[in-house]
């Protein structure tokens, strides 16, 4: 697992109403709860809450993290970006931009950008392009799969309990994930410009906080 290996994930090709997609999204909620990524993002956002005026979230999906961050930042503008349409019952005070965020992110204002388990979907060269778009933000907070044999082994223990789609997508996500130091490098974040904190969690996540010096 020295190099990243990207293969299409099955969930990305399914309609939202497909029963396989519904089961996979249920699995993802359980995986997210186990990893604790959304809670960690919320804590880091809270650490910087006094200086955040407008936050953009990449790959907002069902809007779970979007809602949580909106609660943490009641005075700030929070905008979700995703290929999917706006989730039902999302509070009207939360913004939503549908489309490819490589195109739409440049049109969204903000000082902070975050995302959970989204960047591993992209090739190295696309991450470099995204890093250029992200350069106008002041604070970046991302969590992604940690690409190690141990993380993959831990995932294999849970797979018998998962749906068919998750049994394919979970190992695929890990193989497309990152090791310590890779994510900031692939995004092209210059240590002379950014203060970088990149850490690996024991449960299998790589976590990045980048703030402009």
């Amino acid at each position: 697992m020295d190099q990243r290996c990207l293969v299409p994930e099955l969930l990305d090709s399914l309609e939202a109403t497909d029963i396989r997609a519904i089961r996979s999204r249920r699995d993802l909620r359980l995986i997210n709860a186990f990893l604790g990524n959304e809670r960690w993002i919320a804590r880091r956002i809270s650490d910087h809450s006094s200086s955040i005026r407008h936050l953009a979230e990449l790959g907002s999906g069902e809007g779970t993290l979007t809602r949580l961050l909106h609660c943490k930042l009641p005075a700030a503008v929070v905008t979700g970006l995703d290929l999917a349409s706006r989730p039902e019952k999302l509070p009207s005070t939360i913004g939503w931009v549908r489309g490819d965020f490589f195109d739409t992110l440049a049109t969204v204002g903000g000082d902070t950008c975050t995302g959970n388990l989204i960047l591993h979907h992209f090739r190295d060269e696309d991450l470099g392009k995204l890093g250029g778009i992200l350069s106008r933000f002041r604070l970046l907070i991302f969590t992604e799969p940690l690409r190690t044999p141990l993380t993959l082994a831990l995932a294999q223990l849970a797979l018998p309990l998962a749906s068919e789609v998750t049994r394919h997508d979970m190992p695929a996500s890990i193989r497309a994930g990152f090791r310590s130091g890779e994510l900031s490098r692939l995004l092209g974040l210059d240590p002379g410009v950014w203060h970088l904190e990149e850490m690996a969690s024991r449960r299998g996540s790589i976590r990045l906080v980048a703030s402009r010096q």
Side-chain angles (χ1 to χ4, degrees):
M1 298 180 67
D2 290 339
Q3 302 296 322
R4 299 183 64 217
C5 177
L6 274 71
V7 297
E9 295 186 19
L10 298 180
L11 181 59
D12 296 336
S13 65
L14 298 176
E15 295 291 335
T17 55
D18 190 309
I19 187 63
R20 293 171 296 170
I22 294 171
R23 289 171 177 167
S24 182
R25 289 196 299 271
R26 178 200 61 195
D27 290 344
L28 283 174
R29 288 191 289 270
L30 293 173
I31 292 168
N32 267 315
F34 172 77
L35 293 175
N37 287 340
E38 294 182 346
R39 297 190 298 274
W40 178 83
I41 289 176
R43 287 196 301 270
R44 300 313 298 261
I45 290 295
S46 294
D47 292 342
H48 296 270
S49 60
S50 61
S51 61
I52 297 176
R53 298 291 175 265
H54 188 165
L55 177 143
E57 182 203 351
L58 304 184
S60 299
E62 296 181 299
T64 305
L65 178 58
T66 326
R67 289 184 178 90
L68 176 59
L69 297 180
H70 178 59
C71 291
K72 294 288 183 180
L73 301 168
V77 176
V78 175
T79 302
L81 296 92
D82 203 280
L83 289 172
S85 58
R86 183 185 183 91
E88 294 183 6
K89 300 181 180 179
L90 190 72
S92 60
T93 47
I94 296 176
W96 192 269
V97 179
R98 184 180 184 182
D100 185 335
F101 58 69
F102 278 83
D103 300 321
T104 60
L105 184 57
T107 69
V108 176
D111 48 63
T112 302
C113 188
T114 189
N116 177 40
L117 304 180
I118 184 66
L119 300 184
H120 69 277
H121 290 279
F122 301 102
R123 299 174 298 175
D124 291 2
E125 53 266 36
D126 292 327
L127 291 172
K129 176 183 176 182
L130 179 62
I133 303 173
L134 292 173
S135 63
R136 64 188 179 85
F137 289 90
R138 181 186 56 80
L139 176 66
L140 307 174
I141 300 176
F142 290 101
T143 57
E144 293 296 327
L146 177 64
R147 192 182 78 252
T148 66
L150 178 58
T151 306
L152 191 59
L154 290 173
Q156 296 291 342
L157 294 176
L159 289 183
L161 304 175
S163 67
E164 173 190 357
V165 172
T166 303
R167 287 198 295 272
H168 172 274
D169 286 359
M170 191 174 179
S173 295
I174 293 170
R175 293 187 178 98
F178 306 92
R179 293 186 174 181
S180 295
E182 284 185 337
L183 186 53
S184 57
R185 175 178 59 81
L186 291 171
L187 289 172
L189 302 180
D190 184 351
V193 176
W194 297 88
H195 174 69
L196 301 173
E197 301 175 59
E198 199 163 349
M199 62 216 80
S201 78
R202 289 178 292 182
R203 295 193 176 187
S205 297
I206 191 76
R207 295 167 170 175
L208 171 68
V209 179
S211 55
R212 284 195 169 275
Q213 307 232 26

